[in-house]
Amino acid sequence: MNQHLSFEFSAPRNPVETKKLLSVYKRLKVFSPEFFSVTYGAGGSTKDGTKDAVLNIQKLGSSVAPHLSFGGDTSEKIEALLQDYQKADIRRVVALRGDIPSGQMTKMTFASELITFIRNKTGSHFHIDVAAYPETHPDSPSVESDIKFFKNKVDAGANSAITQYFYNADAYFRYIDKCASHNIDIPITPGIMPITNYNGIIRFSKNCGAEIPRWILKQLDSYKDNPDSLKAFGLEVVTELCSRLLEGGAPGLHFYTLNQSLPSARILRNLNAQ
Ligand code: FAD
């Protein structure tokens, strides 16, 4: 693929998950992505896992971006973490507000404030990616408000964005047009979630506000007890989505791998074969 390509891993929580992540990393490295990224648990459970995985991948010679959010931590702690990343020559971070842990009333620091903090402490050392929402962030009262706060992140110093996943290419294209009309000119790479598991995709989508179009949902319903057909259908739908996005001018693809190599690899092979 000539366009930007990146793969996201979930932070490992124990040595078994770390081992799995590194083997998935090796299988995806053959696609020569621009970078890998590793999620960060704003709730606290996977923070060390993020740092360890990032440093491991960096040592293996790939560009890698830790996700980062304040998530209740002190400024000193975040600054120390940034310094560790700088020392290890990590050049990219994904700056987020983070998800509020369920059942908690924690006040979350907006991503734009984190970006300002990173720029104040580390200047232009890091390339900063941020999250973008073609279907509008679930907390946002309106599209306009969401775009306004997205622009705040760009003005604070974000270099590029990765979107929440979606299955409706038109939502992405409309969002890109809206951003352009608000003078937002950073690359906005679509986030791609392969469909491989019925319960998983329903649960994730409900949590993050991604819409599964009715025709896809109905078909997934009918394949609920037939995992092979579900995977084949998911592969076809998501390959077509990626193909439309790239043909329509998307700058590349960012895969939510959920620490599995095959679903993303199959889509990429399909795309190259087209
Ligand atoms: P923000 O950009 O801060 O926005 C959050 C909400 O607040 C939006 O509705 C926005 O419109 C609004 N808003 C922003 N600024 C203001 C303001 N000044 N006043 C009022 N409202 C405002 N979560 C994790 O916990 N760990 C991860 O590793 C992680 N990785 C992700 C990677 C990607 C590519 C994406 C798309 C999401 C990821 N998430 C992750 C989920 C993300 O943390 C959630 O979607 C979270 O709810 C919002 O984060 P944000 O950075 O977009 O927040």
Side-chain angles (χ1 to χ4, degrees):
M1 216 174 90
N2 293 327
Q3 293 92 339
H4 297 285
L5 173 65
S6 48
F7 296 112
E8 177 172 318
F9 293 132
S10 308
R13 286 166 297 188
N14 54 50
V16 175
E17 289 186 5
T18 298
K19 201 170 161 207
K20 177 162 188 238
L21 185 150
L22 291 176
S23 84
V24 171
Y25 155 77
K26 280 179 194 147
R27 275 181 253 134
L28 290 174
K29 198 181 169 188
V30 297
F31 292 99
S32 306
E34 188 181 356
F35 69 98
F36 291 87
S37 79
V38 184
T39 65
Y40 189 70
S45 55
T46 54
K47 289 182 178 174
D48 290 340
T50 305
K51 188 169 154 189
D52 294 347
V54 160
L55 297 182
N56 273 325
I57 293 173
Q58 169 87 348
K59 272 190 216 131
L60 292 167
S62 294
S63 173
V64 56
H67 294 203
L68 187 62
S69 51
F70 264 99
D73 278 340
T74 59
S75 306
E76 289 75 22
K77 209 164 170 196
I78 298 297
E79 189 176 353
L81 189 53
L82 286 169
Q83 278 172 5
D84 288 346
Y85 287 140
Q86 257 188 310
K87 271 188 221 139
D89 202 27
I90 303 289
R91 309 291 306 197
R92 190 165 192 146
V93 293
V94 182
L96 301 146
R97 182 194 72 174
D99 274 325
I100 301 167
S102 56
Q104 292 186 29
M105 295 293 287
T106 320
K107 185 197 166 294
M108 305 293 280
T109 306
F110 291 118
S112 53
E113 299 169 77
L114 175 61
I115 297 162
T116 302
F117 182 83
I118 298 171
R119 288 287 177 237
N120 282 343
K121 297 294 175 189
T122 64
S124 58
H125 176 86
F126 291 105
H127 176 114
I128 303 180
D129 282 290
V130 288
Y133 300 86
E135 295 182 330
T136 309
H137 185 269
D139 297 351
S140 284
S142 68
V143 175
E144 289 303 327
S145 144
D146 207 30
I147 301 255
K148 183 180 104 186
F149 290 125
F150 178 50
K151 187 160 178 1
N152 277 0
K153 298 197 272 194
V154 180
D155 293 344
N159 301 99
S160 49
I162 301 164
T163 75
Q164 183 56 276
Y165 72 87
F166 55 86
Y167 295 108
N168 183 345
D170 289 329
Y172 172 80
F173 292 124
R174 277 191 170 271
Y175 184 73
I176 296 297
D177 288 348
K178 270 246 170 232
C179 287
S181 72
H182 285 73
N183 300 317
I184 296 170
D185 57 2
I186 60 168
I188 302 173
T189 300
I192 304 298
M193 179 69 89
I195 300 176
T196 57
N197 174 297
Y198 181 83
N199 290 325
I201 199 70
I202 304 283
R203 194 180 62 244
F204 274 135
S205 305
K206 209 171 157 201
N207 286 346
C208 72
E211 188 191 52
I212 307 179
R214 184 180 156 84
W215 68 273
I216 297 182
L217 195 57
K218 286 283 167 197
Q219 194 67 77
L220 293 177
D221 265 338
S222 71
Y223 293 141
K224 218 173 183 171
D225 300 317
N226 188 342
D228 288 344
S229 299
L230 187 136
K231 279 183 195 158
F233 172 71
L235 177 61
E236 194 185 317
V237 165
V238 180
T239 303
E240 270 172 29
L241 171 70
C242 293
S243 182
R244 242 199 101 192
L245 291 168
L246 294 173
E247 276 164 18
L253 301 171
H254 174 86
F255 282 90
Y256 295 106
T257 70
L258 303 181
N259 300 5
Q260 292 178 32
S261 59
L262 265 185
S264 312
R266 284 192 173 129
I267 294 167
L268 285 166
R269 289 202 189 99
N270 271 359
L271 288 171
N272 285 333
Q274 278 175 353

